[in-house]
Amino acid sequence: MKKLIAILLLASMSFTFTSCDSWLDVNNNVDAPDYIQEDLYLAGILAELGMATALDIRATGPLTQSLSTTGYTNYANHFYNKASDAAASMWRCVYWIHGMNLENMINQSLENESYRLAGIGYAIKAYGWDQLTKLHGELPMKQAFEPGRLSHDYDYQDDVYTQVREWANTAIEYLQMEDKTDYGNRLKDADLMYAGDADKWIKFAHGVIVRNLSSLTNKNDFSSAYAQDLITHAGLALAANSDNAVMHSLGGGTDAQFSNYNSEWGVWWGSFDGYFAHDFAVQVMTGTLPLYDSVSGDKLQADPDPETGEISEIFPYALAPKQYVTDTSDVKGHFDPRVTAKIGTMDARFYNNMNNIDSIKSWVYYGGSFTSATGPIATAANLWGTREGQASSGSLDGQGRWLYKNDGDYILMTAAEIQFCLAEAYMKIGQKGNALAAFKKAVALDVDFTGSMLVPGAPKETGKDEDGNVIYAVGGNLPGGDVITKDAYAQLASEYIAGPYVEGMTEDEFELSHIMLQKFVALFPWGSTETWVDMRKYHYDIKYTGDVPSENNGWTLSTLDQKWDSDETKVYKGLYLKPAQVENRRSAYHEENHGSPCYRIRPRYNSEYMWNKPALDALKPIGGREENYQCSIPWFAYPGDMPR
C-alpha cells in the first residue's frame, strides 16, 4: 500500500520540482517542497512510464496492423496532422513527467552515493529516450533540460542512439558499484518493477542496448559495427520470464480506492475501447494468411466443400501454401494456443468448454479492417472478447481478461523479445544454426509468458428460463476472465512447442520471416512500438531500388508497390499496406503524404508546434513543419547515412 500511495501522491503533483531561488527558502511550502527524498520519485516515474508505453500503442497498434481502431483512425490510415497531442504520451512522459524529476532523482542519488538508485534512474532514462526517438525521430536532447531556455534545437537520431547506449552503460556501472545506502523497505516499495533488485535492473539495461541495436539490423554496416555488441549484451540481458520488465496494477474497477489502481489496458479506463485485432494479426495467429492472384490482386476463392459443394463462410479464401506461425491442421502440435489469450472470440462468450481441447481448437477469430470492427469476413470481437462497445466502467465486462484487464500488467520488455533480437542478428551475419536456437528459445519463452497471465473466468448467471434452464449473460455483460483453463493451455502449449513450428523447425526451412512473424505475435499488442520499428527498418516490404523508397520508386501518389508474398526477400509475409493493389487494401494515402506510408510520429503539438517552430523548420531532409514530415524516414531505417 505504501508504494501505491507514493504513486498517487507523485502522479497528482505537477512533477516539476526544481531548485528554488534562495529568497524562497524563508517561505518553504511543505505541500510543494523544493527538495524531495530521491527514492520518493521512483514509484511515480515508473507508473507513468508504464502508462505512457501502453497509451502510445493506440497509434502504433494500427500502424502495424496489429490492431484496428474506430478511435485513432488517422494512424490506421497513416495520416495525422500536426495539430494534435494524440500519440504523444511518451513525449509527455520523457520531457515533462520524468523531466527534471528523473534528473533530480539521479543527481541527488549520486550526491548521496546511492548508486543503486542512480543506476535505476539511468536505466529508466535510457529506456524512455530509446522509445521516444523510435517514435519521433529527431529530438531536442542536449538542450532539453537547460534552465532558462524557451526553445530547443533538435539533435539527429544517430546522436540520440549513441547517447541512449551511453546512459544504459552508465546505469550498469552504477548498479554494479557498492552502495552503502540503507534503503530499508523504501526502495523495495518504490520500485514497482524489480523491487530494488540490482541484478534484474542490470539485465534490463543490457536489454535496452539490445533493443536499440536491433533496430539497426538492416543498415549496411550492421554486421561490422553493431552485431557483436548486440550478441554480447543479449547474453547479459533478460534471460528468463522471471527477468521480464513488468509492472502490475491492483485494479479494482469502480471499487478501487483510486482510479490509478486500474491498468490502462482494462475496461475501467476504456482506453482501448474501439480496438480490435486487425485482420492481418488474426491471419498470422490462426495460420490463415490468404493467397492472392498475382495479376488481379484479389484473394483466391477457397475450394467448395466436396460433400456440400458450398464454400465455407468462415474460411472463404484460399490459404497461402506456407504459413509461418501455425496452420489450420487438426494434427497435434499445429495449434498455437496464444490466440486464445491475445485475441477475443465470440465462440467462448459463455465460458463453455474451457477445458475441452477439441472445442478450443474449433473457435473462430475474426479480424477488423483498418478503421472498423467489420473485417473482410465478419465482425471482430474487441480485445475484451465482446462486440459491444465499452465505457469506463467495471460494470460492463467485469475486470477484463488476459492483459486487457483492470489489474493487468504494463509490459516494458521480455526475455522472449531479447531472444528474437538475437535470432535476427545471428541470421543477418549468416549464423543460421545459432539463429534457429535463439528462435526456438524465444517462442518457448513467449508461449509460457502468455499463459502465465491467464486468469480463467466463469459464466455469469442472470436467472433461469421458464423450463428452469440457467440463463447466462452475453455481449458486454460478461463477468471477466479468460476463456481457457490453465491446464488446457499448458497441454496445447506443450504440443505446440514440440510441433513443426518450433522444435520441429529445421535449418533448411527456417527463414527470417519465421523470426519476425513470431516476434510480431510475441509483441502483440503490448510491444507494437517495437513492431513498428521492425516494419519500418524493412520499409514495410515495399518494392524499390536504391537507398530508400521514394516517389515513383516504391510508391506513386496513389498506389504502393509492395512485394508479393512469393518474393523471397519479403519479410512480413501476408502484410499489405492500405494502398497496396490487393483486395481489401486498395486506396490512396492522404495527398499530404505524397504517396508514402508514415515513418514517424510528429512531435507533441502543444510543446513544439506552438513555440519551437524555428527548430522544426531546420530539420532535414524534410522540415518538421512540412505537410509530409510524418513520412520522413528516420536514421535507423536508412541503409546508409541519413541525408541532412
Side-chain angles (χ1 to χ4, degrees):
M1 181 59 71
K2 288 181 180 179
K3 65 182 179 183
L4 290 168
I5 291 173
I7 296 173
L8 296 167
L9 285 175
L10 291 175
S12 65
M13 295 178 182
S14 67
F15 258 99
T16 54
F17 299 117
T18 57
S19 60
C20 301
D21 291 331
S22 59
W23 61 272
L24 283 177
D25 293 344
V26 296
N27 292 313
N28 192 15
N29 185 349
V30 295
D31 295 319
D34 59 346
Y35 181 86
I36 300 294
Q37 186 171 297
E38 53 268 21
D39 55 88
L40 292 179
Y41 288 103
L42 183 58
I45 284 171
L46 281 171
E48 292 287 347
L49 182 62
M51 288 187 278
T53 301
L55 287 174
D56 279 341
I57 302 302
R58 293 177 297 180
T60 57
L63 281 164
T64 56
Q65 295 185 37
S66 298
L67 302 175
S68 61
T69 177
T70 56
Y72 274 42
T73 55
N74 283 344
Y75 293 87
N77 288 323
H78 275 245
F79 171 74
Y80 30 90
N81 62 42
K82 58 181 174 291
S84 172
D85 276 350
S89 294
M90 188 60 70
W91 187 284
R92 176 180 180 272
C93 178
V94 168
Y95 283 118
W96 181 56
I97 299 296
H98 285 184
M100 285 306 300
N101 299 292
L102 183 54
E103 297 300 304
N104 288 343
M105 187 186 88
I106 292 172
N107 293 333
Q108 290 173 203
S109 297
L110 292 176
E111 289 174 7
N112 296 330
E113 298 183 350
S114 300
Y115 298 122
R116 182 177 300 186
L117 187 56
I120 291 171
Y122 271 111
I124 293 170
K125 187 172 183 177
Y127 177 92
W129 281 88
D130 183 64
Q131 288 290 282
L132 191 66
T133 189
K134 288 173 176 175
L135 286 164
H136 301 282
E138 279 60 64
L139 301 170
M141 181 187 66
K142 296 173 184 175
Q143 300 175 353
F145 303 120
E146 288 185 7
R149 276 195 168 275
L150 297 178
S151 63
H152 300 78
D153 294 336
Y154 277 68
D155 297 285
Y156 281 90
Q157 190 176 65
D158 52 345
D159 291 332
V160 180
Y161 260 56
T162 300
Q163 185 62 70
V164 163
R165 295 195 295 273
E166 287 181 7
W167 283 327
N169 278 313
T170 300
I172 294 166
E173 291 174 9
Y174 282 125
L175 286 162
Q176 291 175 333
M177 290 174 64
E178 182 181 2
D179 187 344
K180 297 181 180 180
T181 303
D182 182 8
Y183 295 105
N185 288 324
R186 293 182 288 112
L187 185 54
K188 181 180 179 180
D189 290 341
D191 182 357
L192 307 180
M193 197 155 70
Y194 290 135
D197 188 327
D199 290 338
K200 291 188 184 299
W201 275 108
I202 289 171
K203 293 179 181 181
F204 177 81
H206 283 294
V208 171
I209 297 174
V210 172
R211 268 184 158 195
N212 182 274
L213 295 172
S214 182
S215 65
L216 308 178
T217 56
N218 211 33
K219 293 189 79 68
N220 294 334
D221 60 348
F222 173 74
S223 295
S224 60
Y226 305 110
Q228 188 53 55
D229 278 349
L230 189 156
I231 293 168
T232 298
H233 285 283
L236 300 169
L238 289 66
N241 283 327
S242 57
D243 298 329
N244 290 348
V246 171
M247 285 184 280
H248 189 63
S249 300
L250 281 187
T254 54
D255 296 327
Q257 183 178 3
F258 299 101
S259 61
N260 298 59
Y261 286 5
N262 292 291
S263 169
E264 293 285 355
W265 288 106
V267 298
W268 189 90
W269 278 111
S271 297
F272 286 86
D273 178 17
Y275 280 81
F276 314 84
H278 197 283
D279 69 330
F280 170 68
V282 172
Q283 291 162 6
V284 171
M285 282 192 257
T286 58
T288 56
L289 292 172
L291 184 62
Y292 293 90
D293 185 305
S294 60
V295 177
S296 68
D298 290 339
K299 296 175 184 175
L300 295 177
Q301 198 173 59
D303 293 330
D305 184 284
E307 295 183 3
T308 66
E310 297 179 351
I311 294 175
S312 170
E313 294 182 357
I314 298 174
F315 301 115
Y317 304 117
L319 302 182
K322 185 168 186 176
Q323 304 289 327
Y324 286 81
V325 173
T326 184
D327 58 42
T328 58
S329 169
D330 285 333
V331 176
K332 184 166 66 174
H334 286 245
F335 179 79
D336 183 352
R338 288 175 293 181
V339 70
T340 64
K342 290 175 178 271
I343 299 179
T345 174
M346 292 294 286
D347 286 353
R349 64 189 186 278
F350 298 118
Y351 292 85
N352 51 345
N353 296 318
M354 295 168 59
N355 207 41
N356 185 317
I357 298 299
D358 291 335
S359 177
I360 292 168
K361 291 168 69 174
S362 72
W363 294 342
V364 180
Y365 303 84
Y366 296 112
S369 59
F370 289 88
T371 59
S372 171
T374 303
I377 300 177
T379 303
N382 65 21
L383 295 179
W384 298 306
T386 73
R387 286 182 183 159
E388 298 185 13
Q390 304 293 329
S392 297
S393 170
S395 64
L396 286 177
D397 227 58
Q399 299 299 310
R401 64 178 195 87
W402 194 59
L403 173 67
Y404 328 118
K405 56 194 174 191
N406 293 339
D407 61 348
D409 297 325
Y410 291 123
I411 305 170
L412 302 189
M413 188 190 304
T414 66
E417 181 185 359
I418 299 301
Q419 290 300 309
F420 281 121
C421 294
L422 183 61
E424 183 190 8
Y426 276 133
M427 188 70 95
K428 286 288 186 173
I429 62 175
Q431 296 185 22
K432 199 172 185 180
N434 286 336
L436 182 58
F439 166 82
K440 291 179 178 180
K441 184 176 181 180
V443 178
L445 282 166
D446 184 64
V447 170
D448 178 63
F449 177 60
T450 300
S452 72
M453 292 193 290
L454 291 170
V455 179
K460 181 179 180 180
E461 299 181 11
T462 60
K464 295 184 178 181
D465 62 19
E466 57 185 15
D467 297 324
N469 298 313
V470 174
I471 301 173
Y472 296 105
V474 297
N477 297 305
L478 296 174
D482 290 288
V483 296
I484 183 173
T485 65
K486 290 212 168 193
D487 287 343
Y489 182 91
Q491 178 181 333
L492 288 167
S494 177
E495 293 172 357
Y496 177 68
I497 294 301
Y501 287 97
V502 190
E503 288 299 333
M505 182 74 63
T506 65
E507 280 193 46
D508 288 341
E509 61 185 327
F510 185 49
E511 301 174 16
L512 179 61
S513 294
H514 286 105
I515 297 172
M516 302 314 294
L517 286 171
Q518 280 280 9
K519 185 180 180 185
F520 174 90
V521 174
L523 298 184
F524 179 93
W526 60 268
S528 293
T529 297
E530 286 298 311
T531 298
W532 193 36
V533 170
D534 291 334
M535 286 187 175
R536 285 178 289 162
K537 74 187 181 188
Y538 288 115
H539 297 285
Y540 303 102
D541 284 309
I542 293 167
K543 187 178 181 180
Y544 68 96
T545 57
D547 194 37
V548 292
S550 58
E551 188 175 340
N552 299 316
N553 184 29
W555 58 72
T556 69
L557 293 178
S558 60
T559 62
L560 190 73
D561 190 7
Q562 199 153 17
K563 296 175 183 176
W564 291 101
D565 289 342
S566 57
D567 189 326
E568 292 183 357
T569 66
K570 183 171 182 176
V571 176
Y572 286 93
K573 307 291 189 182
L575 177 72
Y576 292 93
L577 299 188
K578 200 164 186 179
Q581 298 307 292
V582 298
E583 188 175 350
N584 302 126
R585 296 293 190 269
R586 299 183 183 101
S587 64
Y589 287 135
H590 192 282
E591 61 183 10
E592 291 185 5
N593 277 43
H594 300 188
S596 170
C598 288
Y599 276 86
R600 65 177 70 206
I601 292 174
R602 287 180 176 271
R604 191 166 186 258
Y605 175 71
N606 276 310
S607 68
E608 302 306 290
Y609 290 93
M610 293 294 287
W611 57 264
N612 209 21
K613 295 177 182 178
L616 289 168
D617 288 335
L619 292 174
K620 303 293 182 183
I622 300 177
R625 288 204 294 161
E626 295 296 322
E627 63 183 11
N628 63 331
Y629 179 65
Q630 67 270 14
C631 302
S632 183
I633 298 173
W635 170 78
F636 75 75
Y638 273 92
D641 292 330
M642 179 178 173
R644 299 183 186 177

